[in-house]
Amino acid sequence: MAIRTIGIVGCGAIGRALLKAVEAGKLAVSVAGVTSRTEKSARAFLSTLREPPPYLDRKQLIAASDLIIEAAGSAVVPALAEEVFAAGKDLMVVSV
């Protein structure tokens, strides 16, 4: 399956780096959305981007994305993997 859109779980250092790379044209993908346990700070960061992706809840993010990129910490991986794989989507774990 060709990856057309990514969804980012986590908007800390890793998630922000990914978003900045997309904005700078260094990562040629479309960001379907972002979710984070710290919604307020994630939304604040997203508002600094030229074309911010939407903030979505996890279920919406999985549905809207071809690939979910985990950038939230290992504690979320088991439940996230179960949800992503149940939806028939792919998951990339990067925070561990």
Side-chain angles (χ1 to χ4, degrees):
M1 169 168 90
I3 297 172
R4 294 179 302 279
T5 60
I6 63 169
I8 300 172
V9 177
C11 198
I14 296 170
R16 289 176 186 206
L18 289 168
L19 290 161
K20 287 178 184 178
V22 170
E23 184 171 68
K26 295 177 182 177
L27 196 59
V29 295
S30 174
V31 180
V34 174
T35 196
S36 176
R37 66 177 171 79
T38 54
E39 181 176 348
K40 185 177 179 181
S41 64
R43 285 185 183 276
F45 174 76
L46 292 174
S47 72
T48 68
L49 301 175
R50 284 189 310 270
E51 293 182 34
Y55 185 92
L56 303 171
D57 69 35
R58 206 149 92 174
K59 185 175 182 179
Q60 293 171 319
L61 184 69
I62 293 168
S65 307
D66 296 312
L67 172 68
I68 298 296
I69 299 179
E70 174 280 322
S74 61
V76 304
V77 173
L80 179 62
E82 190 173 312
E83 292 174 46
V84 170
F85 298 148
K89 303 292 178 96
D90 293 320
L91 174 65
M92 178 184 292
V93 177
V94 296
S95 69
V96 293

